[in-house]
């Protein structure tokens, strides 16, 4: 039904996350209709991103340089470290424009079921970083799944001897409806209650 | 927020249909996590599909050869021609495995608003093909939009002197609910009614 080069393209596109046979076909036919120059630019962007982007040697965030832009930025607070599971989380936090400190990307969460122990994550470099530099606070910002909780507790234990360790708050999402919140979220919201502050 | 090669990749992916900023970011981060070999295979599939796939010189369907697989297939009925707007429609019809004739792809529909007149479509080659070969029936299978109807009527007029011209049926989709069908579809379904056939 598809001429071989088209079939190969559809097959490759289907390997992308969230792309099924129908979407792959639509994308492939779109690509065939675009000017050759535009298509080559797309292919080049793919190859070059893969070739050039590695991990920052300090925080393990994605970076085309040996040290990432955030680590190189002299205006950012050197004494606060936010620990996340994935580069995706750095991007999400940066979008809030609320956080001015630096990051440390673990590269995943502890998950014995998937064969991921502490050694597979960037935990030793984190401990080294915290113990060797003046860090006033480490904020653990890891999603509250079973594996995430394990990772938070494990990393927290390791870092406590060196600095103050906090974790981000869990509770009702903004705009969320108390009535529809699940019990665990509600329990966490109650537990994390704070005094009203009129400053 | 994104290291430059990653930003360029996200920008390129966003040009694909149905891919917004969030999806582009997800696809890009996925690509960075795959092995280099797999990423290069994807890029190569894109470049080669664009380079190798052109149009069949007989029916204008997508093809890597000068004549497409359907036109080359000696087992297909040479005397029936199905006229469609786009290669996508050939693929959809082939999936039904119902049709054994050949195709002719117009490359679009007549749409004066978009500057597409009959000269921009593969209509002259169609008339030549029908007038010079023994074609018993031409089936017009063009979507029933305003432009599609115009195209159907225009092409039908041109081909009538040479052969029998039919069009596909419009009516309730299978599994469709009469109550929820729009009036135009219902009217077409009524108009296209056929005697019950117990053969």
């Amino acid at each position: 039904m598809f001429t071989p080069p088209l079939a190969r393209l559809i097959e490759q596109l289907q390997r992308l996350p969230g792309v099924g046979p129908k979407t792959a076909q639509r994308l492939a036919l779109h690509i065939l209709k675009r000017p050759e120059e535009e298509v080559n630019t797309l292919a080049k962007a793919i190859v070059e991103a893969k070739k050039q982007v590695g991990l920052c040697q300090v925080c393990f965030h994605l970076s085309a340089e040996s040290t990432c832009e955030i680590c190189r930025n002299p205006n950012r607070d050197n004494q606060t470290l936010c620990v996340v599971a994935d580069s995706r989380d750095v991007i999400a936090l940066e979008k809030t424009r609320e956080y001015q400190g630096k990051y440390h990307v673990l590269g995943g969460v502890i998950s014995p079921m998937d064969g991921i122990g502490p050694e597979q994550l960037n935990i030793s470099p984190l401990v080294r970083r915290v113990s060797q530099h003046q860090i006033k606070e480490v904020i653990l910002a890891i999603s509250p799944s079973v594996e995430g909780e394990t990772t938070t507790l494990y990393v927290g234990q390791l870092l406590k001897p060196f600095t103050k360790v906090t974790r981000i708050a869990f509770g009702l999402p903004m705009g969320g409806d108390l009535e529809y919140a699940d019990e665990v979220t509600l329990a966490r919201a109650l537990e994390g209650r704070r005094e009203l502050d009129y400053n």
Side-chain angles (χ1 to χ4, degrees), chain A:
Chain A
M1 187 153 20
F2 300 112
T3 187
L6 177 56
R8 279 194 292 273
L9 175 55
I10 292 174
E11 190 198 313
Q12 287 301 318
L13 290 171
Q14 272 193 62
R15 292 162 168 260
L16 296 173
V19 177
K22 284 239 167 182
T23 308
Q25 181 189 313
R26 192 159 48 93
L27 292 176
L29 292 178
H30 171 89
I31 287 170
L32 290 184
K33 283 194 180 160
R34 306 308 304 166
E36 183 151 2
E37 198 190 305
E38 192 179 319
V39 173
N40 290 342
T41 307
L42 168 63
K44 203 176 139 208
I46 291 173
V47 171
E48 301 213 323
K50 179 62 192 173
K51 202 184 291 171
Q52 294 173 9
V53 179
L55 298 182
C56 168
Q57 59 185 210
V58 177
C59 76
F60 301 93
H61 181 39
L62 293 171
S63 174
E65 316 274 327
S66 62
T67 315
C68 77
E69 278 178 66
I70 297 172
C71 285
R72 286 202 312 268
N73 187 339
N75 296 323
R76 295 190 73 127
D77 173 9
N78 245 322
Q79 306 191 307
T80 312
L81 222 56
C82 181
V83 175
V84 296
D86 200 282
S87 267
R88 218 173 317 184
D89 305 323
V90 174
I91 294 165
L93 284 162
E94 283 298 284
K95 279 187 181 154
T96 68
R97 297 168 182 270
E98 281 292 321
Y99 180 66
Q100 289 305 317
K102 308 233 163 159
Y103 292 94
H104 193 93
V105 180
L106 295 180
V109 287
I110 296 170
S111 174
M113 298 277 280
D114 304 310
I116 302 177
E119 316 74 39
Q120 274 74 48
L121 304 174
N122 308 316
I123 292 181
S124 315
L126 170 62
V127 176
R128 220 173 305 130
R129 197 174 166 195
V130 172
S131 61
Q132 291 174 359
H133 295 84
Q134 266 221 315
I135 307 283
K136 280 199 183 145
E137 181 179 356
V138 172
I139 304 167
L140 301 176
I142 298 170
S143 300
S145 61
V146 174
E147 293 83 6
E149 287 295 274
T150 310
T151 311
T152 296
L153 296 175
Y154 182 85
V155 172
Q157 283 287 355
L158 288 177
L159 298 183
K160 259 196 172 165
F162 305 107
T163 183
K164 177 180 168 191
V165 182
T166 61
R167 62 182 303 177
I168 54 168
F170 298 114
L172 278 196
M174 294 309 288
D177 195 327
L178 198 139
E179 190 184 353
Y180 296 118
D182 63 288
E183 304 97 274
V184 183
T185 300
L186 263 187
R188 295 294 285 261
L190 267 176
E191 186 194 321
R193 69 190 180 280
R194 289 162 59 170
E195 215 165 318
L196 265 178
D197 192 349
Y198 291 104
N199 286 342

